[in-house]
Amino acid sequence: MRQSFSLPMSRRSFAKLMGAAVAGTLLGNDMGRATAAAHPAAVPGFSGKGLPVLYDSDVCVVGGGAAGTAAAVNAARRGAKVVLVERGILLGGLQTLGCVYPCMPTFVHGSDTPYINELNKRMEKQGASPLLGVDAGEWFYGDGKGLYAPEVLSLVYEEMCGEAGVEILYDASLVGAVTENGRIKECVVHTVEGLGKVRAKTFIDATGDAALARYAGVPVEKGSEETGRNQPMSLRFEMTGVDVEKVFHFFDGVLQDERMSVPLKEKFQEDVARGCPPYLEFAKIPKNEHFFKEAVARGDLTEDDILYIQGFSIIGKPHTMSLNCPEMPPLAYSSTDAVSRSKAVSFGRLMMHRLADFFIKRIPGFEKAYISREASMLGVRESWRIRGKYYLDAEDYFETRHFADAICRTAYPIDIHDVKLNVSKKIARDAYYEIPYRALVTNEIENLIVAGRCISGSFAAQASFRIQPTCMSMGEAAGIAAAWGLRNKVAANNIQWDKLPAGERSYVSEDD
Protein backbone atom coordinates (compact mmCIF):
# COMPACT_ATOMS: atom_id res chain seq x y z
CA MET A 1 0.00 0.00 0.00
CA ARG A 2 1.80 3.11 -1.26
CA GLN A 3 1.59 6.30 0.76
CA SER A 4 3.12 9.64 -0.10
CA PHE A 5 3.43 12.96 1.70
CA SER A 6 4.12 16.00 -0.46
CA LEU A 7 5.74 18.89 1.41
CA PRO A 8 7.30 21.61 -0.78
CA MET A 9 10.25 22.75 1.33
CA SER A 10 13.92 22.00 1.81
CA ARG A 11 15.08 19.02 3.90
CA ARG A 12 16.66 21.38 6.44
CA SER A 13 13.51 23.50 6.78
CA PHE A 14 11.37 20.42 7.19
CA ALA A 15 13.65 19.06 9.92
CA LYS A 16 13.49 22.38 11.76
CA LEU A 17 9.69 22.44 11.64
CA MET A 18 9.39 18.85 12.83
CA GLY A 19 12.10 19.14 15.44
CA ALA A 20 13.51 15.82 14.24
CA ALA A 21 15.63 14.38 11.47
CA VAL A 22 13.82 12.95 8.51
CA ALA A 23 14.78 10.14 6.21
CA GLY A 24 14.15 9.85 2.48
CA THR A 25 14.61 12.11 -0.48
CA LEU A 26 12.70 15.37 -0.65
CA LEU A 27 11.98 16.46 -4.20
CA GLY A 28 11.61 20.18 -4.92
CA ASN A 29 8.34 21.53 -6.25
CA ASP A 30 8.50 23.15 -9.68
CA MET A 31 8.45 26.88 -8.96
CA GLY A 32 10.10 27.95 -12.23
CA ARG A 33 8.95 30.42 -14.82
CA ALA A 34 5.46 30.25 -16.28
CA THR A 35 4.80 27.51 -18.80
CA ALA A 36 1.66 25.89 -20.07
CA ALA A 37 3.12 22.36 -20.09
CA ALA A 38 1.15 19.98 -17.89
CA HIS A 39 3.24 18.28 -15.22
CA PRO A 40 2.52 16.64 -11.87
CA ALA A 41 3.78 18.16 -8.65
CA ALA A 42 6.63 16.32 -6.92
CA VAL A 43 5.45 13.59 -4.56
CA PRO A 44 8.13 12.77 -1.98
CA GLY A 45 8.09 9.56 0.02
CA PHE A 46 6.89 10.67 3.43
CA SER A 47 3.88 9.31 5.29
CA GLY A 48 3.27 12.30 7.55
CA LYS A 49 3.34 9.98 10.54
CA GLY A 50 3.57 11.58 13.95
CA LEU A 51 1.70 14.73 13.03
CA PRO A 52 -1.39 15.47 15.15
CA VAL A 53 -4.80 15.14 13.49
CA LEU A 54 -6.57 18.44 14.05
CA TYR A 55 -9.86 17.36 12.46
CA ASP A 56 -11.33 14.11 11.18
CA SER A 57 -14.11 15.08 8.80
CA ASP A 58 -16.26 13.98 5.88
CA VAL A 59 -15.26 16.91 3.67
CA CYS A 60 -12.23 19.18 3.92
CA VAL A 61 -12.34 22.37 1.88
CA VAL A 62 -9.01 24.15 1.48
CA GLY A 63 -9.38 27.85 0.79
CA GLY A 64 -12.08 30.10 2.24
CA GLY A 65 -12.62 32.35 -0.75
CA ALA A 66 -15.65 32.74 -3.00
CA ALA A 67 -15.54 29.13 -4.20
CA GLY A 68 -14.41 27.51 -0.95
CA THR A 69 -16.99 29.15 1.29
CA ALA A 70 -19.76 28.15 -1.12
CA ALA A 71 -18.46 24.59 -1.20
CA ALA A 72 -18.23 24.29 2.58
CA VAL A 73 -21.70 25.71 3.24
CA ASN A 74 -23.39 23.53 0.63
CA ALA A 75 -21.67 20.31 1.70
CA ALA A 76 -22.52 20.94 5.37
CA ARG A 77 -26.15 21.73 4.62
CA ARG A 78 -26.46 18.28 3.07
CA GLY A 79 -25.31 16.47 6.16
CA ALA A 80 -21.54 16.30 5.69
CA LYS A 81 -19.15 17.04 8.53
CA VAL A 82 -17.10 19.87 7.00
CA VAL A 83 -13.83 21.59 7.87
CA LEU A 84 -12.89 24.78 6.00
CA VAL A 85 -9.15 25.55 6.06
CA GLU A 86 -8.28 29.22 5.53
CA ARG A 87 -4.79 30.73 5.68
CA GLY A 88 -6.10 34.17 6.71
CA ILE A 89 -8.52 35.18 9.45
CA LEU A 90 -11.30 36.30 7.13
CA LEU A 91 -13.51 34.45 4.68
CA GLY A 92 -13.99 35.75 1.15
CA GLY A 93 -10.49 35.53 -0.30
CA LEU A 94 -10.03 38.13 -3.02
CA GLN A 95 -13.53 39.49 -2.37
CA THR A 96 -12.51 40.62 1.12
CA LEU A 97 -8.75 40.23 1.60
CA GLY A 98 -7.93 41.27 -1.95
CA CYS A 99 -10.32 44.26 -2.19
CA VAL A 100 -11.69 42.88 -5.47
CA TYR A 101 -14.94 44.79 -5.88
CA PRO A 102 -17.44 44.58 -7.49
CA CYS A 103 -18.19 41.17 -8.99
CA MET A 104 -17.96 41.19 -12.76
CA PRO A 105 -21.23 40.36 -14.52
CA THR A 106 -21.58 37.03 -16.31
CA PHE A 107 -23.28 38.75 -19.28
CA VAL A 108 -26.10 36.23 -19.27
CA HIS A 109 -29.28 35.90 -17.25
CA GLY A 110 -29.95 32.67 -15.41
CA SER A 111 -26.38 32.25 -14.17
CA ASP A 112 -27.05 33.17 -10.52
CA THR A 113 -27.41 29.82 -8.77
CA PRO A 114 -29.41 29.39 -5.52
CA TYR A 115 -26.41 30.10 -3.28
CA ILE A 116 -25.78 33.46 -4.97
CA ASN A 117 -29.45 34.42 -4.77
CA GLU A 118 -29.45 33.61 -1.06
CA LEU A 119 -26.23 35.55 -0.51
CA ASN A 120 -27.77 38.61 -2.17
CA LYS A 121 -30.81 38.43 0.11
CA ARG A 122 -28.65 38.08 3.20
CA MET A 123 -26.57 41.09 2.19
CA GLU A 124 -29.74 43.10 1.71
CA LYS A 125 -30.94 42.17 5.21
CA GLN A 126 -27.66 43.54 6.55
CA GLY A 127 -28.49 46.89 4.95
CA ALA A 128 -25.96 46.47 2.14
CA SER A 129 -28.07 45.58 -0.88
CA PRO A 130 -25.64 44.31 -3.54
CA LEU A 131 -27.82 44.84 -6.59
CA LEU A 132 -28.42 48.02 -8.58
CA GLY A 133 -31.37 46.53 -10.43
CA VAL A 134 -30.31 47.75 -13.88
CA ASP A 135 -28.84 46.28 -17.03
CA ALA A 136 -26.73 48.91 -18.73
CA GLY A 137 -25.03 48.91 -22.08
CA GLU A 138 -22.57 46.37 -23.39
CA TRP A 139 -20.53 45.94 -20.21
CA PHE A 140 -23.05 45.77 -17.37
CA TYR A 141 -25.80 43.23 -18.01
CA GLY A 142 -26.84 39.74 -17.03
CA ASP A 143 -26.39 38.12 -13.61
CA GLY A 144 -23.46 38.19 -11.22
CA LYS A 145 -23.42 41.98 -10.72
CA GLY A 146 -22.92 41.77 -6.96
CA LEU A 147 -21.68 44.89 -5.16
CA TYR A 148 -20.53 43.19 -1.96
CA ALA A 149 -19.22 45.51 0.75
CA PRO A 150 -16.22 43.48 2.01
CA GLU A 151 -16.75 43.84 5.75
CA VAL A 152 -20.42 42.89 5.49
CA LEU A 153 -19.64 40.01 3.17
CA SER A 154 -17.16 38.41 5.55
CA LEU A 155 -19.74 38.59 8.34
CA VAL A 156 -22.44 37.01 6.17
CA TYR A 157 -20.06 34.24 5.12
CA GLU A 158 -19.29 33.41 8.75
CA GLU A 159 -23.00 33.39 9.59
CA MET A 160 -23.72 31.00 6.74
CA CYS A 161 -20.91 28.69 7.82
CA GLY A 162 -22.02 28.82 11.46
CA GLU A 163 -25.63 28.02 10.65
CA ALA A 164 -24.58 25.10 8.44
CA GLY A 165 -22.22 23.69 11.06
CA VAL A 166 -18.97 24.28 9.17
CA GLU A 167 -15.81 24.14 11.31
CA ILE A 168 -13.47 26.94 10.20
CA LEU A 169 -9.75 26.50 10.76
CA TYR A 170 -8.31 29.99 10.40
CA ASP A 171 -4.65 30.93 10.26
CA ALA A 172 -3.75 27.57 8.74
CA SER A 173 -1.60 27.32 5.60
CA LEU A 174 -1.66 24.24 3.42
CA VAL A 175 1.83 22.74 3.11
CA GLY A 176 1.29 19.21 1.82
CA ALA A 177 -0.88 16.17 1.25
CA VAL A 178 -0.78 12.54 2.31
CA THR A 179 -1.98 10.31 -0.51
CA GLU A 180 -2.59 6.58 -0.79
CA ASN A 181 -3.71 4.53 -3.77
CA GLY A 182 -5.07 7.49 -5.73
CA ARG A 183 -6.78 9.10 -2.74
CA ILE A 184 -5.90 11.99 -0.46
CA LYS A 185 -5.98 10.75 3.12
CA GLU A 186 -4.99 13.97 4.84
CA CYS A 187 -3.88 17.47 4.04
CA VAL A 188 -1.04 18.93 6.08
CA VAL A 189 -1.31 22.46 7.42
CA HIS A 190 0.97 24.79 9.31
CA THR A 191 -0.67 26.54 12.28
CA VAL A 192 0.50 28.49 15.29
CA GLU A 193 1.16 25.10 16.96
CA GLY A 194 3.27 23.79 14.08
CA LEU A 195 2.36 21.12 11.56
CA GLY A 196 -0.88 19.19 11.79
CA LYS A 197 -3.21 17.15 9.59
CA VAL A 198 -6.83 17.37 8.55
CA ARG A 199 -8.28 13.98 7.65
CA ALA A 200 -11.28 13.68 5.36
CA LYS A 201 -13.11 11.35 3.01
CA THR A 202 -13.42 13.95 0.26
CA PHE A 203 -11.29 17.05 -0.35
CA ILE A 204 -12.16 20.23 -2.23
CA ASP A 205 -9.30 22.35 -3.54
CA ALA A 206 -10.47 25.97 -3.56
CA THR A 207 -7.02 27.48 -3.11
CA GLY A 208 -7.08 29.34 -6.44
CA ASP A 209 -3.56 28.06 -7.11
CA ALA A 210 -4.48 24.35 -7.33
CA ALA A 211 -2.17 23.87 -4.35
CA LEU A 212 -3.78 20.76 -2.89
CA ALA A 213 -4.10 19.19 -6.34
CA ARG A 214 -0.41 19.85 -7.03
CA TYR A 215 0.69 18.39 -3.71
CA ALA A 216 -1.38 15.29 -4.49
CA GLY A 217 0.40 14.79 -7.82
CA VAL A 218 -2.28 16.06 -10.22
CA PRO A 219 -0.91 17.34 -13.56
CA VAL A 220 -1.16 21.12 -13.85
CA GLU A 221 -0.50 23.93 -16.29
CA LYS A 222 0.47 27.53 -15.71
CA GLY A 223 0.66 30.60 -17.88
CA SER A 224 -0.11 31.26 -21.52
CA GLU A 225 0.51 28.59 -24.14
CA GLU A 226 1.67 31.40 -26.43
CA THR A 227 3.90 33.55 -24.21
CA GLY A 228 4.51 31.44 -21.11
CA ARG A 229 3.45 34.38 -18.96
CA ASN A 230 0.78 34.46 -16.29
CA GLN A 231 -1.94 37.09 -16.27
CA PRO A 232 -0.72 40.20 -14.42
CA MET A 233 -1.40 40.67 -10.72
CA SER A 234 -2.93 43.68 -9.00
CA LEU A 235 -2.53 45.17 -5.54
CA ARG A 236 -5.86 46.85 -4.97
CA PHE A 237 -6.73 49.48 -2.39
CA GLU A 238 -9.53 51.68 -1.11
CA MET A 239 -9.68 55.42 -0.62
CA THR A 240 -12.08 57.17 1.75
CA GLY A 241 -13.08 60.82 1.96
CA VAL A 242 -14.08 60.88 -1.71
CA ASP A 243 -16.74 63.26 -3.01
CA VAL A 244 -18.19 60.72 -5.43
CA GLU A 245 -20.51 63.24 -7.09
CA LYS A 246 -17.59 65.53 -7.98
CA VAL A 247 -15.64 62.59 -9.41
CA PHE A 248 -18.64 61.70 -11.57
CA HIS A 249 -18.95 65.22 -12.93
CA PHE A 250 -15.23 65.35 -13.71
CA PHE A 251 -15.18 62.18 -15.81
CA ASP A 252 -18.62 62.62 -17.35
CA GLY A 253 -18.74 66.41 -17.65
CA VAL A 254 -15.15 67.63 -17.99
CA LEU A 255 -13.46 64.68 -19.70
CA GLN A 256 -16.76 63.63 -21.32
CA ASP A 257 -15.53 60.06 -21.57
CA GLU A 258 -19.02 58.50 -21.61
CA ARG A 259 -17.65 55.58 -19.56
CA MET A 260 -20.92 55.14 -17.69
CA SER A 261 -23.89 54.13 -19.81
CA VAL A 262 -27.12 56.15 -19.77
CA PRO A 263 -28.98 53.73 -17.41
CA LEU A 264 -26.10 53.86 -14.91
CA LYS A 265 -25.98 57.67 -15.11
CA GLU A 266 -29.71 57.89 -14.54
CA LYS A 267 -29.41 55.55 -11.57
CA PHE A 268 -26.55 57.66 -10.22
CA GLN A 269 -28.58 60.87 -10.47
CA GLU A 270 -31.66 59.24 -8.91
CA ASP A 271 -29.61 58.05 -5.92
CA VAL A 272 -28.04 61.49 -5.44
CA ALA A 273 -31.50 63.11 -5.53
CA ARG A 274 -32.75 60.62 -2.91
CA GLY A 275 -29.73 61.19 -0.69
CA CYS A 276 -28.50 57.61 -1.19
CA PRO A 277 -24.82 56.76 -1.78
CA PRO A 278 -24.56 56.48 -5.58
CA TYR A 279 -22.70 53.88 -7.62
CA LEU A 280 -19.89 55.28 -9.72
CA GLU A 281 -17.24 53.70 -11.86
CA PHE A 282 -14.42 55.30 -13.81
CA ALA A 283 -11.54 53.89 -15.81
CA LYS A 284 -8.76 54.82 -18.16
CA ILE A 285 -10.24 54.32 -21.62
CA PRO A 286 -9.34 55.69 -25.08
CA LYS A 287 -11.62 58.73 -24.66
CA ASN A 288 -9.81 59.93 -21.54
CA GLU A 289 -6.34 58.38 -21.77
CA HIS A 290 -4.84 61.76 -22.72
CA PHE A 291 -5.51 62.84 -19.13
CA PHE A 292 -3.40 59.99 -17.77
CA LYS A 293 -0.69 60.29 -20.41
CA GLU A 294 -0.28 63.95 -19.45
CA ALA A 295 0.37 62.76 -15.91
CA VAL A 296 3.21 60.57 -17.22
CA ALA A 297 4.62 63.47 -19.19
CA ARG A 298 4.60 65.62 -16.05
CA GLY A 299 6.29 62.91 -14.01
CA ASP A 300 3.29 62.35 -11.72
CA LEU A 301 2.93 58.75 -12.89
CA THR A 302 4.91 56.15 -14.83
CA GLU A 303 3.86 54.18 -17.91
CA ASP A 304 3.47 51.14 -15.65
CA ASP A 305 1.12 53.08 -13.37
CA ILE A 306 -1.33 53.84 -16.16
CA LEU A 307 -1.33 50.34 -17.63
CA TYR A 308 -4.72 49.74 -16.02
CA ILE A 309 -6.77 52.18 -13.93
CA GLN A 310 -10.30 51.61 -12.68
CA GLY A 311 -12.34 52.73 -9.69
CA PHE A 312 -15.73 51.87 -8.18
CA SER A 313 -17.69 53.45 -5.34
CA ILE A 314 -18.46 50.89 -2.65
CA ILE A 315 -22.15 50.59 -1.80
CA GLY A 316 -22.35 50.28 1.97
CA LYS A 317 -19.19 52.35 2.57
CA PRO A 318 -20.07 56.01 1.90
CA HIS A 319 -17.40 58.24 0.35
CA THR A 320 -15.21 55.21 -0.32
CA MET A 321 -13.88 53.96 -3.64
CA SER A 322 -12.30 50.64 -4.51
CA LEU A 323 -9.41 51.02 -6.94
CA ASN A 324 -8.79 48.19 -9.37
CA CYS A 325 -5.15 49.14 -9.76
CA PRO A 326 -2.21 49.14 -9.76
CA GLU A 327 -1.59 46.28 -12.15
CA MET A 328 2.00 45.10 -11.94
CA PRO A 329 3.74 44.70 -15.33
CA PRO A 330 3.41 41.07 -16.48
CA LEU A 331 6.79 41.13 -18.19
CA ALA A 332 8.44 41.74 -14.82
CA TYR A 333 6.40 39.65 -12.37
CA SER A 334 4.92 36.16 -12.28
CA SER A 335 2.20 34.77 -10.01
CA THR A 336 3.81 31.31 -10.12
CA ASP A 337 7.31 32.36 -9.06
CA ALA A 338 7.60 32.75 -5.29
CA VAL A 339 10.37 35.37 -5.34
CA SER A 340 8.81 37.32 -8.21
CA ARG A 341 5.40 37.25 -6.51
CA SER A 342 6.92 38.68 -3.35
CA LYS A 343 8.77 41.44 -5.18
CA ALA A 344 5.54 42.36 -6.96
CA VAL A 345 4.03 43.35 -3.61
CA SER A 346 6.68 45.99 -2.90
CA PHE A 347 6.61 47.28 -6.46
CA GLY A 348 2.82 47.43 -6.38
CA ARG A 349 2.76 49.36 -3.12
CA LEU A 350 4.94 52.10 -4.61
CA MET A 351 2.59 52.25 -7.61
CA MET A 352 -0.41 52.42 -5.28
CA HIS A 353 0.91 55.47 -3.45
CA ARG A 354 1.83 57.26 -6.67
CA LEU A 355 -1.68 56.68 -7.97
CA ALA A 356 -3.28 57.85 -4.73
CA ASP A 357 -1.19 61.03 -4.74
CA PHE A 358 -2.18 61.65 -8.35
CA PHE A 359 -5.89 61.17 -7.64
CA ILE A 360 -5.69 63.61 -4.71
CA LYS A 361 -3.86 66.27 -6.72
CA ARG A 362 -5.52 65.95 -10.09
CA ILE A 363 -9.02 64.45 -9.86
CA PRO A 364 -11.73 66.70 -8.38
CA GLY A 365 -13.50 64.89 -5.57
CA PHE A 366 -10.33 63.25 -4.25
CA GLU A 367 -8.90 66.40 -2.63
CA LYS A 368 -9.61 65.18 0.93
CA ALA A 369 -9.28 61.47 0.22
CA TYR A 370 -6.71 59.10 1.68
CA ILE A 371 -5.77 55.43 1.44
CA SER A 372 -7.98 53.73 4.00
CA ARG A 373 -7.22 50.14 3.14
CA GLU A 374 -4.59 48.14 1.27
CA ALA A 375 -5.33 44.64 0.02
CA SER A 376 -3.77 41.97 2.23
CA MET A 377 -3.80 39.52 -0.66
CA LEU A 378 -2.39 39.93 -4.16
CA GLY A 379 -4.98 40.17 -6.90
CA VAL A 380 -3.94 37.04 -8.79
CA ARG A 381 -5.98 36.51 -11.95
CA GLU A 382 -4.35 33.24 -13.00
CA SER A 383 -1.65 30.87 -11.79
CA TRP A 384 -1.92 27.07 -11.97
CA ARG A 385 -4.75 25.11 -13.57
CA ILE A 386 -5.39 21.38 -13.26
CA ARG A 387 -5.71 18.96 -16.17
CA GLY A 388 -9.03 17.32 -15.39
CA LYS A 389 -11.38 14.84 -17.00
CA TYR A 390 -12.62 17.62 -19.28
CA TYR A 391 -10.40 20.41 -20.55
CA LEU A 392 -12.18 23.67 -21.34
CA ASP A 393 -10.73 25.72 -24.16
CA ALA A 394 -11.53 28.83 -26.18
CA GLU A 395 -13.66 26.83 -28.59
CA ASP A 396 -16.05 25.94 -25.78
CA TYR A 397 -16.53 29.67 -25.30
CA PHE A 398 -16.85 30.70 -28.93
CA GLU A 399 -18.99 27.69 -29.87
CA THR A 400 -21.17 28.35 -26.77
CA ARG A 401 -21.06 24.68 -25.85
CA HIS A 402 -23.55 23.23 -23.40
CA PHE A 403 -23.11 20.04 -21.39
CA ALA A 404 -25.49 17.58 -19.78
CA ASP A 405 -23.31 17.63 -16.64
CA ALA A 406 -23.04 21.45 -16.56
CA ILE A 407 -22.74 23.01 -13.11
CA CYS A 408 -23.09 26.66 -14.21
CA ARG A 409 -23.24 29.02 -17.18
CA THR A 410 -21.39 32.19 -18.09
CA ALA A 411 -20.71 34.48 -21.02
CA TYR A 412 -17.97 36.59 -19.42
CA PRO A 413 -15.41 37.55 -22.10
CA ILE A 414 -12.04 35.94 -22.63
CA ASP A 415 -10.45 38.76 -20.69
CA ILE A 416 -6.64 38.66 -20.96
CA HIS A 417 -4.58 41.52 -19.54
CA ASP A 418 -1.18 41.56 -21.21
CA VAL A 419 0.91 44.21 -22.96
CA LYS A 420 1.48 41.84 -25.90
CA LEU A 421 -1.60 39.63 -25.67
CA ASN A 422 -4.35 42.00 -24.58
CA VAL A 423 -7.62 40.27 -25.42
CA SER A 424 -11.23 40.88 -24.47
CA LYS A 425 -13.58 38.99 -26.77
CA LYS A 426 -17.30 38.52 -26.27
CA ILE A 427 -19.86 36.14 -27.68
CA ALA A 428 -23.27 37.29 -28.93
CA ARG A 429 -25.70 38.71 -26.41
CA ASP A 430 -27.94 36.05 -24.79
CA ALA A 431 -25.50 33.30 -25.81
CA TYR A 432 -23.50 31.46 -23.14
CA TYR A 433 -21.36 28.41 -22.55
CA GLU A 434 -21.46 25.97 -19.66
CA ILE A 435 -18.86 24.43 -17.38
CA PRO A 436 -19.10 20.64 -17.00
CA TYR A 437 -18.60 18.91 -13.67
CA ARG A 438 -15.85 16.85 -15.34
CA ALA A 439 -13.65 19.98 -15.45
CA LEU A 440 -13.64 19.94 -11.62
CA VAL A 441 -12.33 16.38 -11.17
CA THR A 442 -9.23 14.46 -12.18
CA ASN A 443 -8.27 10.97 -13.27
CA GLU A 444 -5.45 10.76 -10.73
CA ILE A 445 -7.22 11.44 -7.40
CA GLU A 446 -10.67 9.95 -6.91
CA ASN A 447 -11.72 11.91 -3.81
CA LEU A 448 -10.67 15.39 -4.99
CA ILE A 449 -12.89 18.13 -6.44
CA VAL A 450 -11.38 21.44 -7.59
CA ALA A 451 -13.42 24.66 -7.59
CA GLY A 452 -12.61 28.21 -8.61
CA ARG A 453 -10.20 29.77 -11.06
CA CYS A 454 -7.87 26.72 -11.07
CA ILE A 455 -10.21 24.14 -12.65
CA SER A 456 -9.28 22.34 -15.86
CA GLY A 457 -8.96 24.65 -18.83
CA SER A 458 -6.66 26.52 -21.17
CA PHE A 459 -5.20 29.95 -20.48
CA ALA A 460 -7.85 31.57 -22.69
CA ALA A 461 -10.76 29.62 -21.19
CA GLN A 462 -9.59 30.47 -17.68
CA ALA A 463 -9.63 34.14 -18.63
CA SER A 464 -13.41 33.77 -18.91
CA PHE A 465 -14.36 31.41 -16.07
CA ARG A 466 -12.16 33.06 -13.40
CA ILE A 467 -14.69 35.65 -12.17
CA GLN A 468 -16.25 35.55 -8.70
CA PRO A 469 -19.88 34.63 -9.54
CA THR A 470 -18.75 31.68 -11.65
CA CYS A 471 -16.35 30.57 -8.92
CA MET A 472 -19.17 30.75 -6.33
CA SER A 473 -21.38 28.56 -8.51
CA MET A 474 -18.52 26.09 -8.99
CA GLY A 475 -18.02 25.90 -5.23
CA GLU A 476 -21.74 25.43 -4.66
CA ALA A 477 -21.79 22.46 -7.05
CA ALA A 478 -18.58 21.03 -5.58
CA GLY A 479 -20.09 21.03 -2.08
CA ILE A 480 -23.31 19.42 -3.28
CA ALA A 481 -21.39 16.75 -5.21
CA ALA A 482 -19.07 15.98 -2.30
CA ALA A 483 -21.95 15.37 0.11
CA TRP A 484 -23.98 13.43 -2.48
CA GLY A 485 -21.01 11.20 -3.33
CA LEU A 486 -20.37 10.31 0.29
CA ARG A 487 -24.06 9.60 0.91
CA ASN A 488 -24.31 7.38 -2.15
CA LYS A 489 -20.83 5.85 -1.91
CA VAL A 490 -19.69 7.23 -5.27
CA ALA A 491 -16.14 8.56 -5.67
CA ALA A 492 -16.01 12.28 -6.38
CA ASN A 493 -14.36 11.79 -9.77
CA ASN A 494 -16.99 9.22 -10.79
CA ILE A 495 -20.02 11.35 -10.00
CA GLN A 496 -22.22 12.02 -13.00
CA TRP A 497 -23.74 15.38 -12.17
CA ASP A 498 -26.54 14.93 -14.68
CA LYS A 499 -27.62 11.72 -12.91
CA LEU A 500 -28.29 13.55 -9.63
CA PRO A 501 -32.00 14.31 -9.16
CA ALA A 502 -32.69 17.71 -10.69
CA GLY A 503 -34.04 18.98 -7.38
CA GLU A 504 -30.68 18.28 -5.70
CA ARG A 505 -28.60 20.12 -8.27
CA SER A 506 -27.78 23.82 -8.03
CA TYR A 507 -27.83 24.08 -11.81
CA VAL A 508 -29.56 22.00 -14.46
CA SER A 509 -28.58 22.49 -18.09
CA GLU A 510 -31.43 23.29 -20.41
CA ASP A 511 -29.94 20.64 -22.69
CA ASP A 512 -30.20 17.94 -19.99
Side-chain angles (χ1 to χ4, degrees), residues 331-359:
L331 294 177
Y333 300 102
S334 168
S335 62
T336 54
D337 181 308
V339 174
S340 177
R341 191 160 162 159
S342 179
K343 290 181 181 296
V345 175
S346 297
F347 190 86
R349 185 165 289 114
L350 290 174
M351 296 173 76
M352 176 196 304
H353 282 269
R354 279 197 300 269
L355 284 164
D357 288 346
F358 167 72
F359 294 156

Side-chain angles (χ1 to χ4, degrees), residues 435-490:
I435 295 174
Y437 177 78
R438 286 163 291 153
L440 279 62
V441 292
T442 74
N443 290 306
E444 292 78 15
I445 302 294
E446 68 175 40
N447 66 334
L448 174 67
I449 306 174
V450 178
R453 69 171 188 248
C454 52
I455 66 166
S456 179
S458 68
F459 181 74
Q462 194 271 352
S464 168
F465 65 63
R466 64 185 172 84
I467 62 169
Q468 293 173 13
T470 307
C471 289
M472 286 191 276
S473 294
M474 288 186 213
E476 181 178 7
I480 292 169
W484 187 91
L486 291 175
R487 232 175 22 248
N488 292 277
K489 296 180 171 52
V490 179

Side-chain angles (χ1 to χ4, degrees), residues 368-388:
K368 297 180 180 179
Y370 56 92
I371 295 176
S372 53
R373 186 171 180 226
E374 293 184 6
S376 55
M377 186 182 206
L378 273 173
V380 174
R381 292 178 172 87
E382 173 268 340
S383 57
W384 287 273
R385 313 178 300 276
I386 66 164
R387 285 300 296 248

Side-chain angles (χ1 to χ4, degrees), residues 36-93:
H39 57 84
V43 183
F46 290 116
S47 67
K49 289 181 179 178
L51 296 179
V53 177
L54 303 176
Y55 285 100
D56 193 338
S57 58
D58 294 326
V59 177
C60 174
V61 181
V62 185
T69 303
V73 168
N74 280 279
R77 284 177 173 175
R78 286 155 181 84
K81 184 180 177 183
V82 179
V83 175
L84 176 56
V85 177
E86 167 54 38
R87 68 182 179 183
I89 58 168
L90 199 66
L91 296 180

Side-chain angles (χ1 to χ4, degrees), residues 82-293:
V82 179
V83 175
L84 176 56
V85 177
E86 167 54 38
R87 68 182 179 183
I89 58 168
L90 199 66
L91 296 180
L94 285 172
Q95 293 178 303
T96 53
L97 294 163
C99 297
V100 177
Y101 168 99
C103 288
M104 293 293 101
T106 60
F107 296 106
V108 62
H109 291 288
S111 68
D112 279 356
T113 45
Y115 173 83
I116 296 176
N117 289 327
E118 179 190 346
L119 178 63
N120 291 340
K121 290 175 183 175
R122 284 176 175 261
M123 291 290 291
E124 189 164 4
K125 284 183 180 178
Q126 291 287 346
S129 178
L131 302 177
L132 290 178
V134 296
D135 273 357
E138 289 302 305
W139 295 102
F140 196 82
Y141 65 87
D143 286 352
K145 304 188 296 289
L147 308 171
Y148 301 121
E151 291 79 7
V152 181
L153 183 63
S154 61
L155 172 65
V156 170
Y157 277 159
E158 275 205 351
E159 287 179 347
M160 294 174 82
C161 285
E163 291 170 13
V166 175
E167 291 280 357
I168 305 172
L169 181 61
Y170 281 129
D171 206 8
S173 299
L174 177 73
V175 296
V178 178
T179 62
E180 180 181 288
N181 295 336
R183 292 177 58 84
I184 301 174
K185 287 183 63 180
E186 297 142 343
C187 71
V188 181
V189 296
H190 182 253
T191 72
V192 67
E193 293 183 88
L195 294 182
K197 298 186 293 188
V198 177
R199 186 172 293 154
K201 297 168 186 171
T202 297
F203 288 83
I204 298 175
D205 183 339
T207 61
D209 294 322
L212 181 59
R214 286 186 286 132
Y215 300 160
V218 172
V220 292
E221 297 180 350
K222 55 180 180 175
S224 163
E225 297 88 351
E226 182 176 333
T227 68
R229 290 193 298 274
N230 297 113
Q231 286 240 40
M233 298 172 282
S234 297
L235 187 62
R236 297 181 64 152
F237 65 108
E238 294 177 7
M239 294 187 73
T240 298
V242 180
D243 186 329
V244 175
E245 195 174 352
K246 282 180 70 176
V247 177
F248 169 79
H249 288 301
F250 175 69
F251 280 93
D252 188 63
V254 178
L255 296 182
Q256 297 184 339
D257 63 3
E258 299 178 344
R259 172 67 171 77
M260 288 179 67
S261 62
V262 172
L264 281 179
K265 287 188 207 177
E266 290 175 350
K267 173 67 174 169
F268 182 95
Q269 289 158 349
E270 286 173 14
D271 287 341
V272 169
R274 291 166 48 222
C276 299
Y279 175 73
L280 164 72
E281 56 182 63
F282 70 82
K284 189 203 83 173
I285 58 175
K287 285 189 175 181
N288 66 27
E289 67 179 350
H290 66 277
F291 172 69
F292 298 99
K293 286 186 174 181

Side-chain angles (χ1 to χ4, degrees), residues 11-23 46 49:
R11 185 194 301 268
R12 180 174 296 176
S13 297
F14 179 74
K16 286 181 179 179
L17 280 171
M18 290 295 292
V22 244
F46 290 116
K49 289 181 179 178

